[in-house]
Structure formats: structure tokens, C-alpha cells
Amino acid sequence: MTENPLRVMVAGLGNMGRSHALAYHGNPGFDIAGLVNRSIVELPEALAGYRIHPSFEEALGELRPDAVSINTYSDSHAPFAVQALEAGCHVFVEKPLATTVQDARKVVDCAIANGRKLVIGYILRHHPSWVRLIAESRNLGGPYVFRMNLNQQSSGATWQTHRQLMQSTSPIVDCGVHYVDVMCQIVDAKPVEVRGMGLRLSEEIDDWMYNYGHLQVLFEDGSVGWYEAGWGPMMSETAFFVKDVISPNGCVSIVMDENAKSDDIDTHTQTQRIRIHRADTGTDGEFTFPDELVSMQGEPDHQELCNREQAYFLKAIREDIDLSRHMEDAVQSLSVCLAADESVRTGKPVRLAP
């Protein structure tokens, strides 16, 4: 017999919320019980028939969904997730899980205590090209150097969204959790120290916030990595997308299309090609193997990745997948990025708890 669809409530109707709502709408394993957003917004035709509720708490009590999808601003992620879990709902929550490690741990503990599934929106984990990048990097063996960034030259509505995000979360925390998570999936060692620097490049954001940030992370096996993120109309389109993993045995790199734009949401996940370089040399000192360029044509676009994320959410619930490692990894990557944010503000490196 076919199981009944799970009734899901979707909170937050920005870029990610709309994409996830479309994923639920197109997946027969879900029924959308209702949408939540503080204001009425224009939606794709497929979602136009669903009611928009202005209050998360009231909608949760009225709709009594089986699952809740939280795609709001970062400072509401933890309180909304706890409310939903305590109401008996499974929860999907966009990254970052929370704005403090303490709150992130509270959400994880709440999911465990209530026997509910908690999936965090680490979209790159569902991308076959990034899975390949991680596998090829691990094949090289460590220790590693990680060189990664995602700068976004934004204007108009996108810059407005970035300014709203920066009311609670800096770019190196909001985006950095993805790429620190990639580093941690590759290296067989724990992060032990984090350093950060940042700069406020716009009078349009609060005095205490910065729209350019850079973090450095040191791992216990000697591996090191950096991640850079900047948002705004002043950001450069030059080398805005660097994804490079280096080891004593060679390197694995993403080669981006020269015409790609930093403001294009599909650019944030697309890889185009993966270049694999091996450091082996012969008796003449020349390289033994030519670089291998792996074409990633046909890779999923942003909407398809959201579809895959929500299919995994459904699978985790239906098949009772153990998400312990998934949740701990989310807390770990967040702790690194928040330590970088602390370092930016104090000017001092931060040692992480063993």
C-alpha cells in the first residue's frame, strides 16, 4: 500500500523557500498544508493556490502538519525549529542551523528528545559534482590546503536581500557553513583553530556588521584552509568562485565558465568541469600524467537540487535514517564559522574545544 503523503508547512518564501515549496508541490510524498510569510508575496503559478499565513506559531497550531520547512532569516531558525519539533513535526531547516552554537545544539537535542528527523539544508551534499570533488580529493590523501570563496556582486533586489540577511548573519557564516562542511568531509581530522578578518564596505549596513569576510581554519592533522565571502555592489567579479583542494599528491579544482556571473544562483552550485592534477613525476622530472578534465554537463540546476534535498528529507523520515552524523556535522561547520566571526570582532584567533 502507498503511504499517505506527509503534510508539510513551508515557512519563508524567499529564493530558497519558494524553491523548496516547489519541490514539495512536485513530490507526491508531500502535501503542502500551508505557507507562512510575514507579508503576501508574488509566487510561481504552481504555488498560487496555497494560503499564506502571516504567523508561524498560529499556523503551526492551526495546520498541525507532519513536517515543517524553515526557510526564514537565520535568527528565527532555532526558535521555529524547536517549536515545530516540540509540536511533533519533522523539520527541514535551511543553513545556518542557528546563529549560536548553543542554539544549534538545543535544536539537535530537541530533535533527539522528541524522536523527530532534523535535516539541515546543506545543498552541496546532494550535488553529484560536489560528491565527485570530495571523493577525488580524498583519493589524493592529505594533509590538505583548501582554497575556497564565493563573492557576490549584488545590486537591486539581491543587494536588498543581502542587507536583510546581514541584520543577523555575516557572509562568512551564512555561506561559509557549506564550504567548511566540504572541507570537513574531505579531511580526516578535526578543526582546532580558526582565524578571521572582515571589513564593512558599505554605509548601508549596520556599524557592527561587515559585508566582506575571510576565515582561516587549521586542522589537527596539519591541514589548512581558507574561505572568503563578500556581498554588495562593490564586489569584484574577478576570481569570485574559487574551489581548490591541494595535497602533496596533486590537486582537484573546479573550473568555472568564464562568463558566469556571481549574482546567478545557479552559479553557486554549478561546477562546469573538475580538473584533476597529479603531482607524480618521472625520472626526467616532468609530470607523469596529464591533467584530467572531467566534464560535468547535465548536472542538476538549483531547483533540481532542492528537489533532491526534499526527496532526502522524505527518505529520512520514511526509512528512519540515522541523522546523528548529519546533525553533528552541521553543528561543527557552524562552530567554525561562528569562531571566525568572533575572531573578526576580537582580532584574536579562536581555539576550538576538543
Side-chain angles (χ1 to χ4, degrees):
M1 293 178 63
T2 303
E3 295 183 87
N4 292 329
L6 293 174
R7 298 177 65 254
V8 60
M9 182 178 90
V10 184
L13 295 172
N15 287 332
M16 297 307 299
R18 286 195 298 270
S19 293
H20 290 314
L22 286 169
Y24 298 124
H25 177 79
N27 188 323
F30 290 104
D31 273 341
I32 295 179
L35 307 176
V36 176
N37 205 64
R38 288 180 297 182
S39 60
I40 301 299
V41 293
E42 185 175 349
L43 294 174
E45 184 178 349
L47 303 177
Y50 296 111
R51 177 185 169 191
I52 298 178
H53 302 253
S55 166
F56 180 90
E57 185 174 2
E58 290 178 9
L60 184 63
E62 176 186 335
L63 299 174
R64 299 186 179 278
D66 303 305
V68 174
S69 179
I70 300 168
N71 313 282
T72 50
Y73 289 115
S74 303
D75 55 353
S76 61
H77 286 183
F80 282 178
V82 168
Q83 286 183 55
L85 291 164
E86 290 182 341
C89 303
H90 302 287
V91 169
F92 172 87
V93 58
E94 259 303 333
K95 55 77 188 167
L97 176 56
T99 54
T100 70
V101 176
Q102 181 180 10
D103 283 348
R105 177 62 59 195
K106 181 179 179 181
V107 176
V108 170
D109 289 346
C110 188
I112 294 170
N114 287 279
R116 301 291 87 184
K117 298 302 180 185
L118 172 67
V119 172
I120 300 95
Y122 281 48
I123 198 168
L124 299 182
R125 288 186 168 219
H126 304 274
H127 197 307
S129 302
W130 283 86
V131 171
R132 176 71 179 270
L133 175 82
I134 291 167
E136 294 291 349
S137 299
R138 288 182 59 83
N139 285 341
L140 289 177
Y144 299 96
V145 173
F146 301 104
R147 304 168 62 239
M148 298 191 180
N149 75 356
L150 179 57
N151 294 316
Q152 298 177 54
Q153 186 185 89
S154 58
S155 60
T158 306
W159 176 227
Q160 171 66 18
T161 297
H162 282 155
R163 295 203 306 273
Q164 290 176 329
L165 285 168
M166 285 186 286
Q167 291 176 13
S168 61
T169 310
S170 70
I172 58 171
V173 175
D174 182 81
C175 293
V177 290
H178 276 311
Y179 302 103
V180 170
D181 181 59
V182 169
M183 296 179 195
C184 291
Q185 287 183 71
I186 293 170
V187 67
D188 285 320
K190 291 184 178 180
V192 294
E193 184 172 304
V194 185
R195 304 162 185 171
M197 61 181 183
L199 190 63
R200 177 174 176 263
L201 294 170
S202 172
E203 296 293 328
E204 297 182 67
I205 60 177
D206 291 337
D207 291 344
W208 58 272
M209 182 52 75
Y210 54 96
N211 63 310
Y212 171 84
H214 190 290
L215 70 80
Q216 298 172 330
V217 55
L218 288 69
F219 294 86
E220 61 184 359
D221 72 336
S223 294
V224 297
W226 59 258
Y227 175 72
E228 173 194 59
W231 295 340
M234 75 295 295
M235 294 307 302
S236 172
E237 291 266 77
T238 301
F240 70 88
F241 186 100
V242 176
K243 304 294 183 293
D244 210 9
V245 183
I246 305 167
S247 90
N249 300 310
C251 59
V252 183
S253 314
I254 289 176
V255 182
M256 180 54 63
D257 186 335
E258 292 182 358
N259 296 317
K261 294 295 184 182
S262 65
D263 199 21
D264 180 357
I265 195 169
D266 279 320
T267 297
H268 303 172
T269 53
Q270 286 179 345
T271 61
Q272 307 291 332
R273 291 173 294 168
I274 294 176
R275 182 191 296 275
I276 304 169
H277 167 72
R278 305 188 188 283
D280 310 65
T281 56
T283 55
D284 59 357
E286 299 296 330
F287 291 122
T288 304
F289 306 105
D291 286 2
E292 179 183 358
L293 275 173
V294 181
S295 173
M296 305 311 296
Q297 285 186 346
E299 62 184 358
D301 61 13
H302 180 264
Q303 183 58 53
E304 175 56 26
L305 287 172
C306 291
N307 296 347
R308 294 183 184 203
E309 272 194 292
Q310 301 314 324
Y312 177 75
F313 183 36
L314 181 66
K315 181 181 175 73
I317 297 168
R318 295 289 196 214
E319 299 182 14
D320 193 23
I321 294 174
D322 184 356
L323 296 175
S324 301
R325 176 65 186 271
H326 173 87
M327 295 186 293
E328 288 302 317
D329 285 352
V331 175
Q332 177 176 253
S333 59
L334 178 63
S335 69
V336 169
C337 293
L338 289 175
D341 185 74
E342 178 184 342
S343 179
V344 170
R345 300 180 189 284
T346 63
K348 298 177 181 180
V350 177
R351 295 292 295 183
L352 299 176

